[in-house]
Amino acid sequence: MLYHNDMSVCAAKVRNALHEKGIAWQGVRMDLRAGDAQKPEYVKLNPNQVVPTLVDRGRVIIESNVILEYIEDRWPGTVRLRPSSPADIAAMRLWMKQLDDGVHATIGTVSTSIAFRHQFLARPAPVLQAWYDNMVDEARRNRLRLAIEQGMESAQFSQAVKRLIRLLDDIERALADSLWLAGPNYSLADIAYSPYMLRMEHLGFGDLLAARPRVADWARRLYATPGYIAGVHGFMDPAYLTIFERERPAARQRINEIAAVPLAR
């Protein structure tokens, strides 16, 4: 059983892996805006109040990158998604570690600052405050509050955009030496990043992706994989896509302005 949300990037990469390996699964769709992840029955499964959560034979597995490796070990099957060489396995895990160490929070800041804030600002103030109050992660609460209240005008937005630009530059360099992120074969590292690449396109980073030809080619190849088509593209929510489309022109302009500033490395 997979507890997930259609547009969650973390849930999307897990669905991607399940479909890529041909694993039949059942899902419970969570309405994160309605506070489903804060409900006591879910918090018992995932104290972090986030998705996804995988329950397999009574065993609860949380954290999306951990779930990806669990899927690979639990269902090795005929499709191998972990590299064969120790060096490539280390590279795979380093790419995935970047997501946990800050890239995921960064994409959350950008997503909320550009698009999701409008969903939250449409709520009555007491309802929004209750959502804040019930959030167990103080750093996440503070980051999202700032993104909701200040949007693209916040200092953290500019910092987040610069971090994502650095990520794109790192990927462009890495792909000069290999077809995929962690060597010659498609792996969990590529799966882990696929929904983030799509989200960046939705949010107005398209010019920056196009300016990096290896990244652009890699993204096209990601989007053509069976797991991506079924597990990511197949779960796009039209309501969210409408918001992305509406907000993307202004976001694209602001992102391109920030990209013109020299980046400290």
Side-chain angles (χ1 to χ4, degrees):
M1 184 70 68
L2 181 69
Y3 293 80
H4 68 115
N5 171 268
D6 288 352
M7 299 299 290
S8 160
V9 287
C10 287
K13 61 186 176 182
V14 170
R15 293 193 305 260
N16 188 335
L18 289 169
H19 282 285
E20 193 69 28
K21 294 180 77 70
I23 300 165
W25 58 280
Q26 293 181 317
V28 176
R29 294 192 180 189
M30 307 286 287
D31 186 341
L32 304 182
R33 300 292 178 266
D36 282 0
Q38 297 177 343
K39 292 179 178 179
E41 58 270 26
Y42 184 71
V43 173
K44 289 179 181 178
L45 296 175
N46 193 324
N48 296 331
Q49 302 178 330
V50 295
V51 294
T53 296
L54 179 67
V55 181
D56 176 41
R57 300 178 296 183
R59 189 68 178 266
V60 178
I61 314 296
I62 64 173
E63 296 299 322
S64 58
N65 284 338
V66 174
I67 295 173
L68 289 183
E69 295 230 41
Y70 178 86
I71 289 170
E72 177 65 12
D73 293 330
R74 171 75 172 83
W75 295 283
T78 58
V79 177
R80 184 185 178 96
L81 295 176
R82 186 183 289 121
S84 56
S85 79
D88 288 345
I89 292 172
M92 179 197 82
R93 288 178 174 150
L94 281 171
W95 281 110
M96 295 167 72
K97 185 175 185 294
Q98 277 199 60
L99 293 171
D100 292 336
D101 285 350
V103 170
H104 175 71
T106 296
I107 204 74
T109 292
V110 172
S111 299
T112 303
S113 298
I114 293 172
F116 298 157
R117 66 188 299 258
H118 300 287
Q119 296 173 312
F120 289 108
L121 291 173
R123 294 177 166 188
V127 174
L128 179 57
Q129 186 60 50
W131 183 75
Y132 287 137
D133 292 342
N134 289 329
M135 198 175 294
V136 296
D137 186 335
E138 183 178 0
R140 178 169 174 255
R141 177 172 61 246
N142 293 338
R143 184 175 66 249
L144 291 178
R145 184 191 295 271
L146 192 61
I148 291 168
E149 293 177 355
Q150 297 186 16
M152 291 188 286
E153 299 306 312
S154 71
Q156 71 171 4
F157 178 78
S158 178
Q159 294 166 359
V161 169
K162 291 179 181 180
R163 176 65 185 94
L164 293 177
I165 292 170
R166 180 158 61 89
L167 173 68
L168 293 176
D169 287 340
D170 290 344
I171 294 174
E172 182 74 4
R173 280 191 295 273
L175 293 173
D177 299 323
S178 64
L179 188 62
W180 299 98
L181 281 183
N185 298 312
Y186 181 66
S187 76
L188 294 177
D190 304 291
I191 284 176
Y193 277 87
S194 62
Y196 292 87
M197 293 301 108
L198 179 65
R199 177 63 57 81
M200 291 174 73
E201 292 194 26
H202 283 159
L203 294 174
F205 284 79
D207 294 334
L208 303 186
L209 272 68
R212 293 157 176 82
R214 286 186 287 268
V215 172
D217 174 70
W218 170 67
R220 284 191 292 268
R221 288 185 282 116
L222 289 177
Y223 302 160
T225 59
Y228 173 89
I229 292 169
V232 183
H233 182 75
F235 283 82
M236 291 292 100
D237 186 329
Y240 281 76
L241 296 181
T242 298
I243 296 173
F244 292 149
E245 185 175 357
R246 185 189 71 208
E247 303 299 328
R248 186 162 50 245
R252 177 188 178 194
Q253 179 177 346
R254 180 71 183 116
I255 289 165
N256 287 351
E257 289 172 356
I258 295 169
V261 177
L263 303 180
R265 295 193 60 82

